[in-house]
Amino acid sequence: MAAAWPWLLLWLGAAVLRARPAPPRIRLPLRGGSGLPPAARARRAPEEAERGGGSFVEMIDNLRGKSGQGYYVEMTVGSPPQKLNILVDTGSSNFAVGAAPHPFLRRYYQRQLSSTYRDLRKGVYVPYTQGKWEGELGTDLVTIPHGPNVTVRANIAAITESDKFFINGSNWEGILGLAYAEIARLCGAGFSPNETEALAAVGGSMIIGGIDRSLYVGDIWYTPIRKEWYYEVIIVKLEVNGQDLSMDCKEYNYDKSIVDSGTTNLRLPKKVFEAAVKSIKTASSTEKFPDGFWLGEQLVCWQVGTTPWHIFPVLSLYLMGEATNQSFRITILPQQYLRPVEDVATSQDDCYKFAISQSSTGTVMGAVIMEGFYVVFDRARKRIGFAVSACHVHDEFRTAAVEGPYLHSNMEDCGYNIPQTDESTLMTIAYVMAAICALFMLPLCLMVFQWRCSRCLRHGHDDFADDISLLK
């Protein structure tokens, strides 16, 4: 299905709805430039101009969801069309929908009701970091009502069994993996004035076919896609309130760094996580928080509208740029890495969860980071672009930013390379191990041989003594 769409744009929400009085004030949209010299801005202008144009009014605001539960778009599957909400995920490449009753699903795909469904008679099983599902592979007609005016036949995995995959209250019934669609973009969005929707609901857009320049300000800065599997990039530096963590840049990318809308948090390798949390704690030391908060296990709450954003630092991620020895910086506000959570005990407070967590599988720039930026997934040119969302939430003193260029040398060395061992090396290792084993076995064999010989000699001597005794 993805191959049929050469351009795809996603526009995710950054602001959060709360159906209660006196919500925090949010100023929209941002105004301002990129901070670039005219020459640098001009270098990218021709390229952006040739890709502009087009009207995407029908596609605006077609995403819904929550950063903690994922963003989804309405799709229709089959003939006659069956409406389903489908999670948009740039960290996977499967298109799968619930096809059996489940306690967390309001509806599901009923293959037997579709005259265009074709069973491929293949089973499929997909595990994730958390959760898994299995089902049956087939094809059917798929359309995005608030998308391009096309219907395509797509491979669909019909999920018949799952474990910890669907999320209660998330309102989506399937997943659309966009890893290596031709172009995929994500961007922060403002809140809808309609506060009758679900609490903490967020709007957004998935636009297919071009660039809507109203969704970002300034310029788009691009970083190369390092490896074509996930959307893997290279991070060259991380700062907390402008203070460099001063770590070997390989640590940031161990064992990979990816951009993934299907992950909620900013996830960091153990060493980086510990260093970052230590710096954030120091910067926000005017208030004390329980250890469980920093581990994502406890919430912190303030009265509505009194969240002290100013005590929390900004984070800056430096990504490798397209130009030689140049990087650019994306600045992340606490409004992004403190994720709003509805407190079950009271509705009188604004409660938040720390959305930076430890990872054992490398750095993951999840939805809480992507919400603040217009993010371009460009497989054709093997790159990912970042720009500031035109509707990014900000406070009185700080705004999110995408700035550059900055000078960094040997940035390629920051990438983590999995050690590769060829066949000849393995054979050499095998021979060496065999030789070592032989050296250890030789003394043992000699000792056994000596023991056997001595026992035989002793046995002969004992027999002779017994014969003498008999003669006497």
Side-chain angles (χ1 to χ4, degrees):
M1 181 175 64
W5 300 331
W7 289 88
L8 174 64
L9 180 140
L10 303 180
W11 186 39
L12 292 188
V16 177
L17 275 180
R18 288 185 176 275
R20 58 173 76 141
R25 179 173 298 178
I26 302 174
R27 302 177 181 178
L28 305 173
L30 297 183
R31 299 296 182 204
S34 64
L36 292 174
R41 191 177 299 111
R43 282 196 295 269
R44 288 189 297 280
E47 175 189 348
E48 301 297 340
E50 70 178 1
R51 295 189 169 201
S55 175
F56 312 109
V57 174
E58 294 299 323
M59 304 181 199
I60 293 292
D61 210 26
N62 61 359
L63 285 182
R64 285 291 180 269
K66 309 173 186 178
S67 64
Q69 298 182 346
Y71 295 93
Y72 56 85
V73 64
E74 184 183 81
M75 301 178 69
T76 63
V77 182
S79 302
Q82 300 178 40
K83 291 184 178 181
L84 298 170
N85 291 333
I86 305 298
L87 175 72
V88 176
D89 180 17
T90 63
S92 68
S93 55
N94 303 104
F95 179 38
V97 296
H102 188 281
F104 297 161
L105 297 182
R106 297 187 308 158
R107 56 191 176 186
Y108 60 91
Y109 174 46
Q110 300 183 58
R111 294 168 286 174
Q112 71 277 10
L113 300 182
S114 175
S115 61
T116 50
Y117 176 74
R118 298 176 186 172
D119 189 352
L120 297 182
R121 302 186 182 280
K122 292 182 180 180
V124 59
Y125 168 79
V126 176
Y128 296 88
T129 304
Q130 294 181 344
K132 60 184 178 181
W133 57 261
E134 58 184 285
E136 301 167 357
L137 194 62
T139 69
D140 209 336
L141 300 182
V142 177
T143 302
I144 301 178
H146 300 287
N149 187 25
V150 294
T151 299
V152 296
R153 177 166 289 278
N155 289 330
I156 303 174
I159 300 174
T160 55
E161 295 183 27
S162 64
D163 179 36
K164 298 179 181 178
F165 176 69
F166 296 110
I167 301 175
N168 190 19
S170 65
N171 204 34
W172 50 262
E173 297 94 25
I175 183 171
L176 174 62
L178 291 179
Y180 283 86
E182 282 292 321
I183 291 288
R185 295 181 176 79
L186 290 97
C187 165
F191 58 85
S192 167
N194 181 8
E195 295 192 0
T196 63
E197 296 182 3
L199 293 177
V202 180
S205 306
M206 182 168 70
I207 294 176
I208 300 169
I211 292 177
D212 189 329
R213 298 180 183 278
S214 67
L215 300 182
Y216 69 94
V217 295
D219 295 301
I220 301 175
W221 285 84
Y222 291 94
T223 183
I225 293 176
R226 182 170 185 259
K227 183 179 178 181
E228 298 180 43
W229 54 332
Y230 298 97
Y231 289 102
E232 183 178 355
V233 298
I234 291 180
I235 299 172
V236 298
K237 189 166 69 170
L238 196 155
E239 293 178 344
V240 177
N241 258 5
Q243 297 297 312
D244 188 358
L245 292 187
S246 299
M247 302 181 70
D248 183 342
C249 61
K250 285 185 181 294
E251 297 287 354
Y252 303 130
N253 305 288
Y254 179 79
D255 58 343
K256 60 182 175 293
S257 294
I258 65 173
V259 184
D260 177 14
S261 67
T263 296
T264 299
N265 291 356
L266 168 62
R267 305 187 68 206
L268 299 172
K270 185 176 185 294
K271 291 182 180 179
V272 182
F273 173 75
E274 291 174 349
V277 169
K278 182 179 179 181
S279 296
I280 295 172
K281 281 183 177 181
T282 301
S284 56
S285 59
T286 54
E287 288 199 25
K288 299 298 181 183
F289 303 100
D291 291 338
F293 168 69
W294 302 110
L295 297 176
E297 299 170 352
Q298 293 179 255
L299 304 180
V300 294
C301 301
W302 292 273
Q303 289 184 348
V304 173
T306 64
T307 304
W309 297 115
H310 65 279
I311 72 169
F312 292 98
V314 296
L315 307 182
S316 296
L317 290 174
Y318 289 75
L319 300 175
M320 183 172 73
E322 288 190 295
T324 304
N325 294 332
Q326 286 188 356
S327 67
F328 64 92
R329 177 180 70 192
I330 63 174
T331 301
I332 302 155
L333 271 60
Q335 285 90 335
Q336 292 169 255
Y337 66 77
L338 296 182
R339 179 164 62 86
V341 177
E342 187 69 21
D343 184 14
V344 295
T346 175
S347 61
Q348 302 304 313
D349 294 329
D350 285 335
C351 296
Y352 302 90
K353 189 174 185 178
F354 189 56
I356 301 176
S357 56
Q358 183 175 310
S359 170
S360 60
T361 56
T363 297
V364 183
M365 298 170 63
V368 295
I369 302 303
M370 299 171 68
E371 285 167 357
F373 302 96
Y374 182 98
V375 184
V376 181
F377 297 84
D378 186 346
R379 182 188 178 189
R381 301 196 180 190
K382 298 182 180 180
R383 63 185 186 172
I384 298 179
F386 290 83
V388 175
S389 165
C391 46
H392 176 65
V393 61
H394 63 294
D395 56 37
E396 185 178 354
F397 306 101
R398 302 171 296 188
T399 65
V402 181
E403 302 166 313
Y406 298 93
L407 182 63
H408 279 93
S409 60
N410 302 319
M411 288 184 291
E412 289 285 355
D413 295 338
C414 295
Y416 176 76
N417 295 308
I418 300 175
Q420 300 291 331
T421 306
D422 57 26
E423 187 175 347
S424 61
T425 303
L426 291 175
M427 290 297 295
T428 302
I429 293 173
Y431 283 126
V432 171
M433 294 299 295
I436 292 174
C437 290
L439 288 175
F440 277 102
M441 290 296 295
L442 182 60
L444 181 61
C445 292
L446 291 174
M447 291 173 64
V448 172
F449 178 73
Q450 183 180 11
W451 175 74
R452 292 289 297 173
C453 290
S454 62
R455 184 171 179 178
C456 290
L457 291 173
R458 188 180 302 112
H459 182 69
H461 182 269
D462 292 342
D463 289 345
F464 177 74
D466 290 342
D467 291 343
I468 294 296
S469 300
L470 289 172
L471 289 174
K472 290 181 177 180

